Amino acid sequence: MATEDPENRGDKRRGSNNGYSTTASSYPIEESETQWTSWLVPIFVGNCVARFLGRFSFQPLKENPLFGASSSTLKKLGALEWDKVVHRHQGWRLVSCIWLHAGVIHLLVNMLSLVFIGIRLEQQFGFVRIGIIYLFSGFGGSILSALFIQNNISVGASGALFGLLGAMLSELLTNWTIYTNKAAALLTLLIIIVINLGLGILPRVDNFAHIGGFLTGFLLGFVLLPRPQFGWLEQRSVPTSTIPIVRSKYKPYQYVLWLISLVILIAGFVVALVMLFRGENGNHHCHWCHYLSCVPTSKWDCDEIN
């Protein structure tokens, strides 16, 4: 996954005036506000690496070009497999597959992406909110993957990583009024997202996990990552007689986005889980959706690969 911090491009014109300092995202925060130490993301990275090294062996490149284990080994370790989730009641595979990777290349790409995206978010919002977004996004990606890809196994943290990208986008939108150079930040972030989702139409890439994780993270960002409006922050450190009183911590549109996103998120998870455990195939309800994960060309046949 190609990564860059688009919110690092803002105009740092707000200095130390009014008791504020400027973060890398051009969002002025109080000097006394806590800057979180990132420890959860390094734990996630260490866990994935440790699980991979625990089965340190490679199949021939013809079987696994990513320098990793065989499909049978991944199945034993907890890879996402539709038949076992639905018919053998192994729902835990929807979570366990997040910590597995198909090979060295797959692991390195995902872990580097997690470091560049996750640490920055955890430092700003803390381990609780980012941990929730990461885990639920991975879970949401697994559900969508199991609904549409039922003949192959799936592993990897890509759904969770796309959830962090989705959360970055919704965080920018819900806190739109406090960012400088916001149009450039939005354009950069959208380009990154489109490129990474575009790579998902290549064969042997589970783009449904990417899409499911992205949508989950996007909705969770509206729920968990709104920032207080300036007036509410100022009145905590400045005498109220000198500034207008702001009684609401968040702007009205942030509350609206919070409510709508929460309702859609809960409804989406309920409907998707009911469909999954009833054994339904998502492709029967959306006849064109298979193109979101693989586009057939003269070089490959998606039916044979996926």
Side-chain angles (χ1 to χ4, degrees):
M1 291 175 57
T3 61
E4 181 181 348
D5 188 355
E7 295 172 5
N8 197 28
R9 298 172 176 268
D11 178 13
K12 297 185 179 181
R13 59 190 176 196
R14 296 184 179 91
S16 58
N17 297 331
N18 300 325
Y20 289 97
S21 60
T22 308
T23 66
S25 60
S26 301
Y27 172 69
I29 61 174
E30 293 178 290
E31 291 179 350
S32 60
E33 187 173 338
T34 302
Q35 180 75 4
W36 295 88
T37 299
S38 177
W39 59 269
L40 186 65
V41 168
I43 287 179
F44 284 162
V45 173
N47 182 62
C48 291
V49 173
R51 289 181 68 87
F52 181 84
L53 294 179
R55 53 171 177 78
F56 193 70
S57 62
F58 301 127
Q59 291 297 111
L61 291 181
K62 291 183 179 180
E63 294 185 27
N64 189 342
L66 298 178
F67 298 99
S70 64
S71 296
S72 59
T73 300
L74 292 173
K75 290 179 183 179
K76 293 177 181 178
L77 291 171
L80 179 60
E81 190 174 5
W82 177 82
D83 179 68
K84 291 183 178 179
V85 170
V86 176
H87 296 135
R88 301 188 186 182
H89 309 292
Q90 297 181 6
W92 52 269
R93 290 180 177 270
L94 294 169
V95 177
S96 63
C97 65
I98 301 173
W99 312 105
L100 298 174
H101 289 81
V104 174
I105 297 175
H106 189 202
L107 178 70
L108 288 177
V109 171
N110 276 356
M111 293 305 99
L112 287 174
S113 300
L114 177 57
V115 167
F116 284 118
I117 299 174
I119 288 181
R120 173 259 178 198
L121 287 174
E122 188 181 352
Q123 287 174 340
Q124 288 196 6
F125 297 101
F127 69 92
V128 174
R129 286 182 284 181
I130 299 308
I132 291 173
I133 292 173
Y134 184 86
L135 293 175
F136 271 87
S137 297
F139 184 59
S142 296
I143 294 174
L144 195 66
S145 174
L147 279 172
F148 285 92
I149 300 179
Q150 301 184 351
N151 297 323
N152 278 339
I153 65 172
S154 178
V155 294
S158 296
L161 292 171
F162 270 87
L164 295 181
L165 277 178
M168 288 179 66
L169 178 60
S170 55
E171 189 269 331
L172 175 61
L173 295 176
T174 194
N175 302 314
W176 184 256
T177 58
I178 67 176
Y179 281 113
T180 56
N181 205 12
K182 58 194 74 175
L186 177 61
L187 180 60
T188 303
L189 187 54
L190 287 175
I191 291 174
I192 293 172
I193 293 169
V194 169
I195 290 175
N196 282 284
L197 287 176
L199 293 175
I201 65 175
L202 297 174
R204 302 188 186 280
V205 178
D206 185 359
N207 211 28
F208 286 113
H210 298 171
I211 295 171
F214 175 81
L215 293 176
T216 303
F218 181 71
L219 294 172
L220 281 173
F222 288 119
V223 175
L224 297 177
L225 304 183
R227 297 182 189 265
Q229 54 182 318
F230 288 144
W232 188 87
L233 289 173
E234 286 179 341
Q235 69 187 14
R236 296 172 60 193
S237 56
V238 179
T240 55
S241 59
T242 62
I243 60 173
I245 297 178
V246 178
R247 301 189 181 279
S248 177
K249 184 176 182 179
Y250 301 105
K251 292 181 178 293
Y253 78 88
Q254 290 177 304
Y255 287 110
V256 173
L257 289 173
W258 182 91
L259 180 59
I260 293 174
S261 299
L262 185 62
V263 171
I264 294 175
L265 188 66
I266 294 174
F269 267 106
V270 171
V271 171
L273 285 171
V274 169
M275 290 179 61
L276 175 61
F277 287 104
R278 287 178 58 183
E280 296 190 29
N281 189 329
N283 293 293
H284 296 164
H285 300 275
C286 180
H287 299 291
W288 56 268
C289 284
H290 62 278
Y291 291 116
L292 295 175
S293 187
C294 183
V295 176
T297 68
S298 58
K299 300 295 183 179
W300 60 73
D301 187 344
C302 293
D303 292 331
E304 292 181 1
I305 295 175
N306 293 327

